[in-house]
């Protein structure tokens, strides 16, 4: 008789800039739920996440959605949420042309 092993709960999460900002800047139920999930997860992100968050926050400042102080607070908090930043390396980190060349060699 086969036995089933219980899997440990998955506690990893991959986040992008929009989700990260939503979790820190919005007060919707969706944002609060996301924030709770990120607070207990091991959060992964691309290594450019800080630049992406900064870019979105600058745009929000220009549009009057957030003030400069709030923007800086969100940016600072966002750095603490991400546990591991992954580099863009290998075939998926290259340009479209490089990826096509690699495929032709295979």
């Amino acid at each position: 008789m086969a036995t089933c092993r219980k899997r440990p709960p998955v506690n990893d999460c991959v986040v992008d800039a929009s989700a990260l900002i939503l979790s820190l800047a919005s007060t919707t139920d969706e944002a609060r739920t996301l924030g709770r999930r990120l607070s207990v997860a091991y959060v992964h992100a691309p290594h450019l996440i800080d630049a992406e968050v900064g870019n979105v926050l600058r745009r929000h400042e220009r549009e009057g959605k957030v003030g400069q102080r709030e923007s800086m607070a969100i940016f600072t908090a966002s750095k603490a949420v991400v546990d591991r930043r992954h580099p863009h390396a290998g075939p998926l980190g290259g340009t479209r042309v490089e990826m096509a060349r690699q495929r032709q060699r295979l």
Side-chain angles (χ1 to χ4, degrees):
M1 176 178 207
T3 59
C4 295
R5 289 184 287 159
K6 275 192 155 186
R7 292 183 178 183
V10 175
N11 205 24
D12 286 359
C13 185
V14 178
V15 71
D16 68 359
S18 61
L20 192 52
I21 291 172
L22 174 70
S23 73
L24 296 168
S26 182
T27 58
T28 64
D29 289 341
E30 178 184 37
R32 283 191 287 273
T33 299
L34 178 59
R36 282 192 298 272
R37 181 166 181 206
L38 293 178
S39 71
V40 297
Y42 188 84
V43 180
H44 301 264
H47 79 286
L48 294 173
I49 190 76
D50 299 324
E52 293 170 352
V53 167
N55 187 46
V56 171
L57 289 172
R58 279 190 298 278
R59 188 176 69 236
H60 285 345
E61 277 186 54
R62 280 195 317 268
E63 295 169 355
K65 293 179 180 178
V66 297
Q68 187 176 13
R69 280 190 176 159
E70 183 181 9
S71 177
M72 286 305 299
I74 294 167
F75 183 73
T76 301
S78 73
K79 288 181 161 195
V81 172
V82 177
D83 297 302
R84 181 160 184 213
R85 289 160 175 78
H86 295 270
H88 291 277
L92 295 178
T95 64
R96 186 81 174 126
V97 173
E98 291 169 344
M99 291 171 69
R101 285 183 188 150
Q102 286 184 358
R103 250 187 312 212
Q104 288 175 349
R105 287 185 217 141
L106 298 177

